[in-house]
Amino acid sequence: MTKPTLQGQDDKGKNIWQDVKTQVPNTELKAMVEAYKTRAPQTKETQPRESAMEKLDALVKDTAAKVSSERPKAKTKSKNGPEL
């Protein structure tokens, strides 16, 4: 088994790495690889998270309310032109 380890830094501040090789029996290697089976499962949040879409909708409504209250709506001119 090979594992890179940090040895230090050179004059320019670049990290110097060295591979450390160790002999591991197959039984230990298998235990390392299958460690996820022996770990306890991660706990889930008890409270549901707030939806991102709900946050976005609320933000859009707030922004629209601010914009509409800041400036009155301008009248749009109707353009009468030849129809093609």
Side-chain angles (χ1 to χ4, degrees):
M1 186 166 83
T2 305
K3 181 179 179 182
T5 56
L6 182 62
Q7 296 298 317
Q9 293 184 340
D10 62 3
D11 299 338
K12 297 178 184 176
K14 186 175 179 182
N15 291 340
I16 300 172
W17 294 88
Q18 183 178 11
D19 290 336
V20 176
K21 295 180 181 181
T22 55
Q23 292 287 333
V24 179
N26 282 344
T27 54
E28 286 184 33
L29 186 59
K30 183 176 179 181
M32 288 179 196
V33 171
E34 296 181 350
Y36 68 93
K37 293 181 180 179
T38 59
R39 276 191 258 146
Q42 294 179 348
T43 58
K44 293 186 178 181
E45 294 180 20
T46 56
Q47 298 176 357
R49 296 187 328 184
E50 186 178 355
S51 170
M53 287 299 291
E54 290 174 2
K55 286 182 181 179
L56 182 60
D57 289 340
L59 183 61
V60 167
K61 288 178 184 176
D62 290 344
T63 305
K66 288 179 184 176
V67 169
S68 64
S69 66
E70 288 177 2
R71 58 183 163 151
K73 290 185 178 180
K75 295 183 181 179
T76 57
K77 296 180 181 178
S78 60
K79 294 183 180 180
N80 294 332
E83 293 185 21
L84 299 175

